[in-house]
């Protein structure tokens, strides 16, 4: 509006000049040349004023014009910044959402629909953690460039944040094949090694796709939600692939969400309880210890197995709390057992990453006044290829505190002999997938035999788990002395059932009468 003002001044001056100046001008010119009488003073002043105004007005107008242009350029830049992601130059989340809504708005009239792709880099956190953030940034830039290479003519690419990208691609009604093709080409094109400095990184993406014609009132928000669910599905089915949204997935996701909510609530509600499965010396049949196995009876879902809830608890970051409550209870229970009987606990790979894990365990031991040498920590073989150095340090500090450490599920992972030798385990547990079928399957029997002699060679005692029949027990006994665990000897039982069993065998700790009277009768607990 300031430039309008300047323009108005200019225009007014010109009008006045034409109105008054035209009459006076010849006189003024003549007077200046000394030929005629000077014109009316008032009039000539007005004329000069007008000329000044015109010059001043024009200059002012030009200045303002420049100022405006500059401001416009700055605004343009600001809008660009507000619409694009500075790292990759892609659109950002807000920009692609409004572009998608704009595309959908006119699409049906054009005989079109919109495909929305959600693209997520697989294991990006691992890439970042292992190589640093600047390598992570380079990977994101490379991914963006590779996807942009494939983008069809009216397609748009955005980075939604983190390692998530999105594309919108219009397609002709009834012909979604180009979208499918685009998604397939993205996974293939991105999966080529990314050269970064002297490194060559393996990068893959998972893609979820939603289409605007699948839902009556699909807007950007809804498409993003559906594509996200489909992407999650693509991850679940092995990554490096793509998946179209299907309403059934939404149901799965809702259930999963409900499970997560129930799990969070179950920890303070004390719904997780420790069960115990006995471990015996296969030669004498004597009980040597119990393995604690977590059990959950959810008010909403009923019985849920640890194979399922441990993984969920790890993913939502509550495994630490969950496990702490269970271990605390287990230490309390195990105090009532004969001091010769050990307690074995399982720890998840997520817990092993916690640098304070050993300290936390010690704190629990001290709280429960439970001797460290009766606690055995089972680490699964799959933990070993995560961060061997960290696991090594952890094992060392657990052992320094007097605990024993065993390698669980041995044979199911890929630990090398060298690793096995370099880590100071106290015991090997042969995975039950070899032991349970060994009576009918010579291959399994051979593997068990090899592992057993391996243990002997390394001086590592062995526990065979999954001993389901007397025949298996007989075969194992032939292989030498070892510990055994399995349904043949007993299924996992509650704390009170376990104690009752031990009492019957005379293997309960010296009774402490004051405490014993308060314990509810067995029938109430079972
Ligand atoms: P695992 O450590 O290998 O535990 C042994 C599993 O084999 C248990 O399954 C047990 O019930 C089962 N089992 C015992 N004897 C036999 C047998 O003779 N035949 C067969 N087929 N199976 C037998 P469960 O209780 O379902 O636990 C599954 C897995 O969940 C455990 O495998 C362990 O990795 C994990 N887990 C259980 N409790 C916890 C826990 O408190 N923390 C962590 N981090 N993981 C746990
Ligand atoms: Ca175990
Ligand atoms: Ca096991």
């Amino acid at each position: 509006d300031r430039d309008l003002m300047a323009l108005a001044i200019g225009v007014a001056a010109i009008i006045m000049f034409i109105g008054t100046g035209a009459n006076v001008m010849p006189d003024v010119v003549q007077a200046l040349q000394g030929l005629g009488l000077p014109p009316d003073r008032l009039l000539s002043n007005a004329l000069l004023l007008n000329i000044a105004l015109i010059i001043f007005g024009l200059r002012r107008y030009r200045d303002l014009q420049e100022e405006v242009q500059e401001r416009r350029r700055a605004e343009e830049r600001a809008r660009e910044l507000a619409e694009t992601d500075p790292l990759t130059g892609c659109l950002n989340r807000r920009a692609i959402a409004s572009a998608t809504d704009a595309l959908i708005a006119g699409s049906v009239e054009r005989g079109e629909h919109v495909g929305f792709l959600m693209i997520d880099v697989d294991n990006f956190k691992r890439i970042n953690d292992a190589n640093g953030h600047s390598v992570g940034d380079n990977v994101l830039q490379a991914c963006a460039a590779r996807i942009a290479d494939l983008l069809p003519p009216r397609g748009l690419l955005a980075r939604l944040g983190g390692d998530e990208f999105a594309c919108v691609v219009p397609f002709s009604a009834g012909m979604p094949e180009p979208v499918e093709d685009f998604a397939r080409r993205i996974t293939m094109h991105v999966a080529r090694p990314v050269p970064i400095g002297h490194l060559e990184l393996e990068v893959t993406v998972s893609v979820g796709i939603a289409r605007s014609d699948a839902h009556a009132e699909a807007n950007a928000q809804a498409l993003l939600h559906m594509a996200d669910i489909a992407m999650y599905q693509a991850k679940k089915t092995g990554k490096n692939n793509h998946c179209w949204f299907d309403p059934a997935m939404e149901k799965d996701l809702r259930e999963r969400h409900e499970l997560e909510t129930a799990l969070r609530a179950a920890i303070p509600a004390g719904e997780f309880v420790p069960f115990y499965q006995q471990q015996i010396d296969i030669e004498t049949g004597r009980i040597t210890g119990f393995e604690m196995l977590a059990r959950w009876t959810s008010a909403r879902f009923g019985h849920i197995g640890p194979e399922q809830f441990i993984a969920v608890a790890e993913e939502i970051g509550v495994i630490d709390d969950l496990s702490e409550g269970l271990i605390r209870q287990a230490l309390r229970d195990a105090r009532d057992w004969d001091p010769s009987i050990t307690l074995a606990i399982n720890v998840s790979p997520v817990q092993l990453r916690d640098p304070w894990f050993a300290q936390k365990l010690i704190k629990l031991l001290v709280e429960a006044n439970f001797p460290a040498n009766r606690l055995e920590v089972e680490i699964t073989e799959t933990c070993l290829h995560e961060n061997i150095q960290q696991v090594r340090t952890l094992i060392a500090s657990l052992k320094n505190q007097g605990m024993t450490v065993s390698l669980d599920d041995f044979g199911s992972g890929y630990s090398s002999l060298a690793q096995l030798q370099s880590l100071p385990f106290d015991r090997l547990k042969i995975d039950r997938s070899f032991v349970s079928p060994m009576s009918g399957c010579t291959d399994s029997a051979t593997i068990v035999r090899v592992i057993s002699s391996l243990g002997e060679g390394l001086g590592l005692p062995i526990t065979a788990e999954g001993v389901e029949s007397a025949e298996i027990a007989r075969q194992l006994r032939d292989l030498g002395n070892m510990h055994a665990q399995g349904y043949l000897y007993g299924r996992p039982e509650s704390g009170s059932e376990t104690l009752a069993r031990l009492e019957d065998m005379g293997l309960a700790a010296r009774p402490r009468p004051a405490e014993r009277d308060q314990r509810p009768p067995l029938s109430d607990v079972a």
Side-chain angles (χ1 to χ4, degrees):
D1 47 50
R2 274 200 306 152
D3 49 337
L4 259 182
M5 185 70 157
L7 189 65
I9 294 172
V11 171
I14 291 166
I15 291 169
M16 278 168 69
F17 177 75
I18 293 165
T20 60
N23 303 328
V24 190
M25 187 66 131
D27 296 346
V28 173
V29 173
Q30 276 187 354
L32 286 174
Q33 290 172 341
L35 297 173
L37 290 169
D40 181 274
R41 201 170 251 291
L42 198 67
L43 278 180
S44 51
N45 276 352
L47 174 72
L48 289 175
L49 180 65
N50 274 334
I51 292 169
L53 274 176
I54 289 169
I55 293 167
F56 172 75
L58 279 179
R59 168 139 6 107
R60 178 101 187 93
Y61 179 71
R62 207 185 44 230
D63 286 355
L64 279 175
Q65 199 63 19
E66 239 159 54
E67 211 179 300
V68 165
Q69 215 118 67
E70 212 157 278
R71 193 168 355 133
R72 215 168 270 154
R73 270 193 299 271
E75 275 167 8
E76 183 92 0
R77 176 92 189 102
R79 209 186 52 240
E80 238 173 62
L81 283 175
E83 280 185 350
T84 57
D85 160 50
L87 180 68
T88 60
C90 300
L91 295 177
N92 62 22
R93 177 184 283 266
R94 187 151 30 91
I96 201 161
S98 57
T100 305
D101 281 334
L103 262 180
I104 294 173
S107 64
V108 179
E109 288 147 43
R110 294 194 299 270
E112 273 185 354
H113 297 295
V114 173
F116 192 101
L117 293 83
M118 183 85 148
I119 305 159
D120 193 282
V121 181
D122 299 327
N123 310 319
F124 183 69
K125 197 180 162 331
R126 200 177 300 165
I127 297 174
N128 235 355
D129 289 350
N131 305 288
H133 285 264
S134 76
V135 169
D137 284 354
N138 285 334
V139 166
L140 293 176
Q141 284 166 335
C143 287
R146 288 177 178 191
I147 298 167
D149 276 352
L150 304 171
L151 206 61
R154 284 190 300 131
L156 296 173
L157 166 64
R159 176 167 169 239
L160 301 182
D163 58 342
E164 272 182 357
F165 295 90
C167 288
V168 264
V169 188
F171 62 93
S172 305
M175 294 170 66
E177 292 78 13
V179 182
E180 162 95 19
D181 189 50
F182 176 46
R184 187 174 312 120
R185 284 165 20 125
I186 289 175
T187 50
M188 273 167 34
H189 195 53
V190 172
R192 294 169 309 145
V194 180
I196 290 172
H198 61 284
L199 296 169
E200 284 237 316
L201 289 174
E202 294 287 332
V203 181
T204 60
V205 290
S206 297
V207 184
I209 322 168
R211 45 196 285 186
S212 60
D213 54 340
H215 272 253
E217 64 243 34
N219 55 17
Q221 184 68 34
L223 284 174
L224 197 141
H225 175 68
M226 292 186 285
D228 193 33
I229 292 172
M231 189 273 290
Y232 185 78
Q233 190 71 22
K235 292 255 184 201
K236 240 172 64 179
T237 52
K239 303 179 177 165
N240 191 24
N241 59 2
H242 69 275
C243 204
W244 285 85
F245 171 77
D246 180 313
M249 293 173 191
E250 201 156 27
K251 192 169 146 276
D252 284 356
L253 199 76
R254 201 177 319 115
E255 280 172 8
R256 155 83 192 208
H257 186 73
E258 283 168 10
L259 185 71
E260 289 179 7
T261 312
L263 194 152
R264 277 183 212 279
I267 298 173
E271 283 179 7
F272 291 99
V273 291
F275 269 45
Y276 305 94
Q277 185 179 35
Q278 53 185 294
Q279 303 171 320
I280 60 107
D281 181 319
I282 203 159
E283 223 146 74
T284 61
R286 188 182 65 85
I287 291 182
T288 60
F290 285 89
E291 176 177 4
M292 189 268 276
L293 294 159
R295 292 293 176 266
W296 181 23
T297 307
S298 147
R300 174 145 174 11
F301 295 97
H303 288 287
I304 300 171
E307 309 267 18
Q308 197 183 349
F309 68 73
I310 296 286
V312 177
E314 285 175 354
E315 268 172 56
I316 64 175
V318 299
I319 183 70
D320 225 23
D321 285 349
L322 170 59
S323 187
E324 187 178 313
L326 285 165
I327 295 173
R328 186 173 283 131
Q329 181 60 45
L331 293 173
R332 223 178 286 149
D333 287 345
R335 267 191 325 205
D336 294 338
W337 308 341
D338 187 86
S340 68
I341 295 173
T342 58
L343 169 70
I345 58 167
N346 292 283
V347 301
S348 101
V350 176
Q351 290 172 287
L352 293 187
R353 269 180 240 142
D354 176 2
W356 297 103
F357 179 73
Q359 274 65 33
K360 286 178 181 173
L361 259 188
I362 291 156
K363 183 168 156 275
L364 290 174
L365 284 170
V366 170
E367 262 176 31
N369 192 22
F370 191 87
N373 62 5
R374 282 179 65 194
L375 188 70
E376 188 170 323
V377 179
E378 297 191 358
I379 295 176
T380 56
E381 194 182 10
T382 41
C383 291
L384 299 188
H385 35 246
E386 281 224 344
N387 184 345
I388 192 95
Q389 200 46 53
Q390 208 174 336
V391 176
R392 193 192 309 277
T393 315
L394 180 78
I395 295 176
S397 55
L398 293 176
K399 290 189 59 145
N400 277 339
Q401 302 294 330
M403 295 171 236
T404 51
V405 184
S406 48
L407 182 56
D408 201 359
D409 300 343
F410 183 68
S412 66
Y414 303 94
S415 49
S416 67
L417 268 179
Q419 272 178 350
L420 205 55
Q421 223 173 354
S422 75
L423 293 167
F425 286 109
D426 297 296
R427 177 172 287 277
L428 281 188
K429 292 189 78 177
I430 309 179
D431 194 64
R432 61 182 186 274
S433 63
F434 303 119
V435 178
S436 296
M438 72 184 274
S439 63
C441 166
T442 48
D443 284 350
S444 300
T446 306
I447 291 171
V448 171
R449 192 169 340 110
V450 169
I451 295 177
S452 138
S453 61
L454 181 71
E456 207 169 305
L458 291 170
L460 281 176
I462 299 241
T463 299
E465 54 177 24
V467 181
E468 294 179 350
S469 68
E471 172 56 21
I472 297 174
R474 194 192 57 72
Q475 279 180 270
L476 290 172
R477 225 173 281 125
D478 285 348
L479 294 177
N481 195 12
M482 60 174 78
H483 288 181
Q485 184 182 345
Y487 295 163
L488 175 66
Y489 307 104
R491 295 194 173 241
E493 290 176 323
S494 72
S496 50
E497 285 168 320
T498 302
L499 183 61
R501 178 190 290 275
L502 289 175
E503 277 169 344
D504 286 348
M505 302 168 84
L507 284 173
R510 213 162 21 86
R512 280 165 294 184
E515 277 178 40
R516 312 230 36 191
D517 291 343
Q518 287 163 11
R519 196 170 295 122
L522 261 186
S523 52
D524 286 10
V525 182

